[in-house]
Amino acid sequence: MARIELDGVSLTFRVRQDSKGLTWKDWVLGLVRRRARPRIEIRALQDVSLEVSRGERVGIVGHNGAGKSTLLKVLAGIYPPTAGRRVVEGRISSLFDIALGFESEASGWENIKFRSYLQGETPGRVRRKIQAIAEFSELGEFLNMPVRYYSAGMLVRLAFSIATAIEPEVLLVDEVLSAGDLNFQHKARARMQEMMAKAHLFVMVSHDLDSLQKLCDRLVWMDHGRVRRTGPSAEIIAAYRESARPAPLAA
């Protein structure tokens, strides 16, 4: 049974300070004293608790840097929490950074196979799906060419076609509804709606508030790595928009 549970989850990145940010004096003293470059702690998520049950459609909103995509990557298992408990039951399908990782010298057909295997598909399932993926991409004879000759739009179309040819249980989506030209975007939205209907549950990050209100029953409002508020989509969107309004000028 598909479900998500986060209990007091925090994520802290610890990185070394770049020596380019040090003064000449700091650098020399560091050499003399043989001190390591100082560590910087970045608190990406702080005490996040969240439950998503089968059948729920949940969206995540917040300003740039609020922790939306980081939270999604914790759910996907890309980042393990540094504190708290994460439980995700069900087969996870993640749709973010979909245009990364192509083999530039390989053809479109070969990349369909490579990327499908990375998504957990078996050779048998790929054989059954490969023609449908090609047709959805509308790339025709370009699939015979190495992808290094593709335009950015063509590459995104191919990536989206491959990434969405899956049968998800837990579907995690991060801003992938702007693939290709206007006509292809209509197809992309229809494909995403089909996937979301089939998924046992999904969690979606987007700045498109209208899409979130249409697709999601409940929203999580992230603010500086914390959950600021959760609730019905219309309620959270209204509060979020109100918070973004500039303060009136003093008379």
Side-chain angles (χ1 to χ4, degrees):
M1 182 175 180
R3 75 180 183 98
I4 289 171
E5 182 182 350
L6 301 182
D7 184 11
V9 164
S10 296
L11 177 65
T12 301
F13 296 112
R14 296 178 176 87
V15 297
R16 295 285 187 187
Q17 181 176 329
D18 191 337
S19 59
K20 293 179 181 178
L22 299 176
T23 65
W24 173 251
K25 180 179 178 182
D26 291 335
W27 186 77
V28 171
L29 288 175
L31 283 180
V32 171
R33 298 173 187 173
R34 295 187 177 183
R35 293 185 306 183
R37 286 175 291 169
R39 286 180 179 269
I40 300 174
E41 288 195 351
I42 301 171
R43 295 183 178 180
L45 297 176
Q46 300 180 62
D47 195 26
V48 174
S49 294
L50 174 67
E51 292 187 17
V52 185
S53 302
R54 180 174 178 138
E56 284 197 283
R57 277 74 178 107
V58 175
I60 304 175
V61 296
H63 58 80
N64 289 331
K68 305 183 300 297
S69 295
T70 302
L71 175 56
L72 211 62
K73 289 176 181 178
V74 167
L75 295 177
I78 295 172
Y79 296 147
T82 50
R85 187 169 67 99
R86 166 195 174 272
V87 176
V88 179
E89 296 179 359
R91 186 175 63 253
I92 299 172
S93 299
S94 305
L95 297 183
F96 35 82
D97 296 337
I98 61 172
L100 296 179
F102 276 99
E103 294 290 337
S104 62
E105 296 299 325
S107 71
W109 290 109
E110 291 168 326
N111 272 289
I112 290 175
K113 294 177 183 177
F114 297 155
R115 290 178 65 88
S116 294
Y117 296 149
L118 289 175
Q119 291 178 184
E121 298 284 14
T122 64
R125 287 207 298 263
V126 173
R127 283 194 297 271
R128 292 193 293 271
K129 293 180 177 182
I130 191 167
Q131 196 60 44
I133 293 171
E135 290 174 1
F136 190 87
S137 74
E138 299 178 350
L139 292 174
E141 292 300 318
F142 286 104
L143 291 172
N144 298 317
M145 298 170 52
V147 299
R148 65 188 175 92
Y149 295 114
Y150 287 18
S151 68
M154 292 166 64
L155 200 61
V156 170
R157 285 169 65 150
L158 181 58
F160 183 88
S161 301
I162 300 167
T164 56
I166 52 180
E167 298 170 2
E169 292 180 348
V170 175
L171 179 62
L172 308 176
V173 181
D174 190 357
E175 297 283 10
V176 297
L177 296 179
S178 57
D181 56 29
L182 188 59
N183 288 334
F184 192 81
Q185 284 184 34
H186 291 312
K187 287 180 59 176
R189 288 180 181 275
R191 170 68 72 90
M192 285 302 307
Q193 288 175 341
E194 289 175 10
M195 288 186 65
M196 290 173 176
K198 292 177 181 177
H200 296 182
L201 64 84
F202 79 76
V203 181
M204 174 182 179
V205 167
S206 180
H207 288 287
D208 185 344
L209 299 182
D210 291 334
S211 291
L212 286 172
Q213 185 158 349
K214 291 176 183 175
L215 296 171
C216 301
D217 310 311
R218 178 162 61 99
L219 296 187
V220 178
W221 180 358
M222 294 296 296
D223 188 358
H224 294 92
R226 294 182 179 273
V227 175
R228 177 165 172 175
R229 187 172 170 182
T230 64
S233 296
E235 175 186 311
I236 298 301
I237 287 173
Y240 181 63
R241 282 178 166 151
E242 182 66 27
S243 74
R245 287 184 182 175
L249 296 175

